[in-house]
Amino acid sequence: MSTLVFLEHNEGTFTKGSLGVLSKAASLDPDTAAVVIGSGVSGLAADAGRYGAARVFIADDASLGAPLPQPRVDVIASLVQAHGFDNVLFGASVLASDIAGGLSARLDAGLNWDLGDLVVDGGALVGKRAALGDTVLVDVGWTSTPRIGLVRSGSFEATERPGAGAAESVSSDVRDFSTRASYLERLQEAQIGPAIEEADILVTGGRGLGAPEGFSKLEELAAALGGAVASTRAVVDSGWYPYATQIGQTGKSVSPKLYIGAGVSGAIQHKVGMQSSQVIVAINKDANAPIFDFCDFGVVGDLNEIIPALTALVKARNT
Amino acid sequence: MKIAVCVKEVPDAGPNRRMDAGTKRLDRSGDRALNAYDLNAVEEALRIKEAVGDGEVVLVSMGPAKALDSIRKGLAMGADRAVLVSDEGAAGSDLVATSYILAKALEREAPQLVIFGQQSSDSDGAVMWAAVADRLGMPVISQVSELSVDGGSVTAKRQTEFGYDRISATLPAVLAVSDALNEPRYPSLKGIMGAKKKPQDVLALEDLGIEAGRAGEGGSRTTVIAVGSPPSRGDTIKIEDDGTAAQKILEFLVERKFA
Ligand SMILES: Cc1cc2nc3c(=O)[nH]c(=O)nc-3n(C[C@H](O)[C@H](O)[C@H](O)COP(=O)(O)OP(=O)(O)OC[C@H]3O[C@@H](n4cnc5c(N)ncnc54)[C@H](O)[C@@H]3O)c2cc1C
Ligand SMILES: Nc1ncnc2c1ncn2[C@@H]1O[C@H](COP(=O)(O)O)[C@@H](O)[C@H]1O
């Protein structure tokens, strides 16, 4: 077997998620290589070796500086064609998912996503995937090679293990259409309020708050409990609350002692950022909301009634 | 401007979502609905068409013939027509096969923009657009939370793990939108009545020149080996609010020493 792992980097460091996939892959397959794509990234090869890569392919070119998927599909597709890797693995991210999807079509190669674990069974890779809002656990396989896999964030710990890390530079012809998207800028967002990772108690608001003003109710409850306020992507994308407070795949991973979700549906991409909370309380008016499948105390009801009443009760108890 | 929107019928929320232990496929026998995330894609297409002042919004889907019942919701919202690829030979298609079929249907339409929803609620893949864009040879921008279309290009804002990016692409292009990009409109009564009369083409694989080996299980490259149950989380207390919920939450918090 031979395996290629895509290593994603931001501001000169690899993401923990992609390093975790590399360590896991190297533990299953000694013939594991990594690929690093970007501009000015040659220096990162040694780091890849420390997490188990026997070989590190580096595509370093000014035109690859922007974190866009399609030129990366071109690079990885030619690597796979040249070296015949059996497995091509990614740690899930916005960039990695878009690369993996494009690569799957380019090579007509099967893609399994949301993998929580990987095992080798009879010489072939098998993925373990929780599906349908984590209500079923599915063993998934591939009927041909290369097998492409996207690993759910947080599934594998990045652990150091020696790998030769022999660097090899690669180049690739980028397809014409791969250059038709242009990266304009990264918008910085100010960090405000207490960092949500530090808080023992997080009161999280979702789109069920109905309007940005709804957050003032949660701020009051959080203040009474001595916690902080967090949010979902839906409300951050809507501009209701700052990105710095977002929990989930593209936000922060938190493990507070208490998580209270109000008007949060509990989508998988949110869940991956808060499932290690010790105690989870959910208030949602939809009895079918997925969050009820993974909370400790769930209330089917209207947050507009319940949150102010709860705040008053907590305050009364405090005095 | 011609805009295609990829929409999918999915099992309705809650207990309707299950896997069939025998076929190891999703059980599609229960209540069904249009994937809620795709309503944002339809809404955005309608807004672009309205802003541009002319054009056509075409819904493109692959699924069982009865999926038209769900797809009509997009027509009721205002889309002009629908194309459904429905064929016994397409059942059980995975990403490789589905993206091939959708790309074939889209090629026939030759739209300037192809818009996808954020994810399908039954697969949670959030990858289909990238595969289709590669097959169409078009640039792709995903997770779009702000969008402007001007002349020959689109500019989008989108969230990644590192904050927000601004990206532009030349047309024709593929977009996948965030569920926070807009608030989908409710179909009016007139829209619902009118939807039935809008063109709804049901195509077989043959109509698109798709060889049998490229669709269904034969055209797929992944397989489900086993279906099991995840470990249960233990004791969940679930109550309906009867006016005492706040008091009950407080008691729970006190018992766990949070208040
Ligand atoms: C690649 C990718 C990455 C993503 N990353 C993230 C991420 O990092 N974090 C994240 O959170 N999401 C992320 N998402 C989005 C995720 O899939 C969901 O769309 C999002 O989490 C939904 O947010 P929400 O729960 O606030 O909104 P919704 O899903 O709209 O849920 C709102 C809930 O409020 C309830 N409600 C409405 N009114 C009331 C009321 N009066 N009282 C009580 N309940 C009420 C409704 O029943 C509903 O369940 C990502 C998606 C993708 C594709
Ligand atoms: N069978 C299908 N027919 C049409 N569009 C689809 C189909 N499957 C997925 N899509 C589109 O692809 C998006 C992402 O789907 P997924 O990658 O399955 O999460 C959905 O929101 C739809 O816009």
Side-chain angles (χ1 to χ4, degrees), chain A residues 193-220:
Chain A
I196 60 167
E197 299 100 312
E198 315 279 300
D200 282 339
I201 296 180
L202 281 178
V203 181
T204 304
R207 192 154 39 192
L209 289 173
E213 295 71 37
F215 272 99
S216 58
K217 288 194 218 26
L218 299 191
E219 284 161 359
E220 259 193 72

Side-chain angles (χ1 to χ4, degrees), chain A residues 70 98 106 108 113 129 137 139 141 143 182-185 187 207 233 237 246 250 287 295-296 298 300, chain B residues 118 123 129 134-135 138 142-143 159 164-166 168 178-179 221 223 225-226 228 233 236-237 239 241:
Chain A
Q70 290 170 308
D98 285 353
R106 182 75 59 89
D108 277 318
W113 53 84
R129 181 187 162 208
L137 199 59
D139 283 2
T143 55
S182 321
Y183 190 80
L184 305 177
E185 61 181 328
L187 307 161
R207 192 154 39 192
R233 188 181 85 169
D237 264 358
Q246 183 187 314
T250 52
C295 69
D296 300 282
V300 182
Chain B
Q118 163 184 305
S123 87
W129 51 79
D134 194 79
R135 296 202 187 278
M138 289 187 194
S142 64
Q143 318 301 333
Q159 190 189 92
Y164 281 92
D165 291 338
R166 271 194 342 117
S168 73
S178 152
D179 65 345
R221 299 285 179 272
T223 160
I225 300 167
R233 204 188 138 85
T236 294
I237 307 163
I239 60 165
D241 183 20

Side-chain angles (χ1 to χ4, degrees), chain B residues 6-8 35 38 60-62 116-117 119-120 123 125-128:
Chain B
C6 288
V7 297
K8 182 186 188 186
N35 179 31
D38 296 343
V60 175
S61 187
M62 188 206 85
F116 287 78
Q119 67 206 80
S120 36
S123 87
V127 286
M128 186 61 74

